[in-house]
Amino acid sequence: MKNADYEKWQDELKEEIFYIMENFEVDANRGQYRTTNHDYRLAFTKATRVTQQDMSEIPNHVYNFTAFDDILNVTASPGYLI
């Protein structure tokens, strides 16, 4: 998220809350500092709308951590931040 967009959304978006998002763009996830290994990312626009939604059937915490051995042996994917 760009700095200007972050300032707009920082008080509205909270961790562990589910949202329905409308009017956003889907871009290729490329660049020097990618934070995930997913092929795509969501890009907010001026028309983006975000509405809080209860979705208790979706688990809050699902992780796919990189193993320490893969980090230490430099076998982890170099294409995103670890």
Side-chain angles (χ1 to χ4, degrees):
M1 183 179 289
K2 296 177 184 174
N3 287 341
D5 292 333
Y6 175 77
E7 290 176 10
K8 176 182 177 182
W9 293 102
Q10 70 179 346
D11 293 331
E12 302 216 13
L13 300 178
K14 303 294 181 196
E15 291 183 21
E16 300 185 15
I17 304 286
F18 293 99
Y19 298 95
I20 293 177
M21 297 173 55
E22 300 175 76
N23 303 324
F24 56 87
E25 295 177 358
V26 178
D27 292 336
N29 188 19
R30 60 181 178 267
Q32 188 174 2
Y33 302 109
R34 297 185 321 152
T35 56
T36 69
N37 64 347
H38 198 279
D39 291 335
Y40 300 98
R41 67 184 180 106
L42 300 179
F44 284 39
T45 69
K46 291 182 180 191
T48 298
R49 288 184 42 198
V50 179
T51 307
Q52 188 173 334
Q53 179 69 38
D54 177 38
M55 295 188 174
S56 56
E57 66 276 6
I58 298 175
N60 281 340
H61 302 289
V62 179
Y63 300 106
N64 186 16
F65 291 114
T66 301
F68 282 116
D69 286 342
D70 290 340
I71 296 169
L72 297 174
N73 296 324
V74 194
T75 57
S77 175
Y80 59 95
L81 298 173
I82 297 176

